[in-house]
Amino acid sequence: MTIKPLSDRVVIKTVEAEETTKSGIILTAAAQEKPQIAEVIAVGPGGVVDGKEVTMMLKVGDRVLTGKYSGTEVKVDGVEYRIVRQDDILAIVE
């Protein structure tokens, strides 16, 4: 099954969190922060949203920074994704 976003929506997959700190301390799953960096999996076509023309600035494969609790979490074929609006994406990570 594939997910094809509509309008100004973007499908992202969260990048795994670091399991060790820079100093080498191993973190348990409970101590790890919710990752905010994700990879773009699919991009909607854009179009008119709330009376304004929206041009999609993202492309598949971009790494992006999102808000901690933005979007809707979905699980497809055992893989967790989030569907967010392009406005919920804060930055592209290069």
Side-chain angles (χ1 to χ4, degrees):
M1 179 186 319
T2 60
I3 300 174
K4 184 176 179 181
L6 302 175
S7 190
D8 67 335
R9 304 256 186 340
V10 179
V11 178
I12 58 175
K13 181 179 176 189
T14 304
V15 176
E16 294 300 317
E18 294 290 327
E19 295 181 7
T20 58
T21 63
K22 290 181 181 179
S23 60
I25 298 172
I26 299 174
L27 300 173
T28 64
Q32 294 176 4
E33 289 186 23
K34 186 172 181 176
Q36 296 176 344
I37 296 178
E39 181 180 353
V40 175
I41 304 300
V43 178
V48 178
V49 177
D50 296 330
K52 299 176 189 171
E53 184 68 28
V54 175
T55 302
M56 301 305 283
M57 295 180 282
L58 301 169
K59 62 184 181 305
V60 174
D62 282 346
R63 290 173 55 97
V64 295
L65 182 65
T66 64
K68 281 188 179 184
Y69 304 105
S70 62
T72 302
E73 294 181 357
V74 295
K75 195 170 193 176
V76 177
D77 297 333
V79 180
E80 291 186 16
Y81 299 101
R82 277 193 299 163
I83 300 175
V84 298
R85 287 187 175 271
Q86 180 172 259
D87 287 348
D88 293 336
I89 295 177
L90 305 174
I92 297 174
V93 179
E94 295 181 340

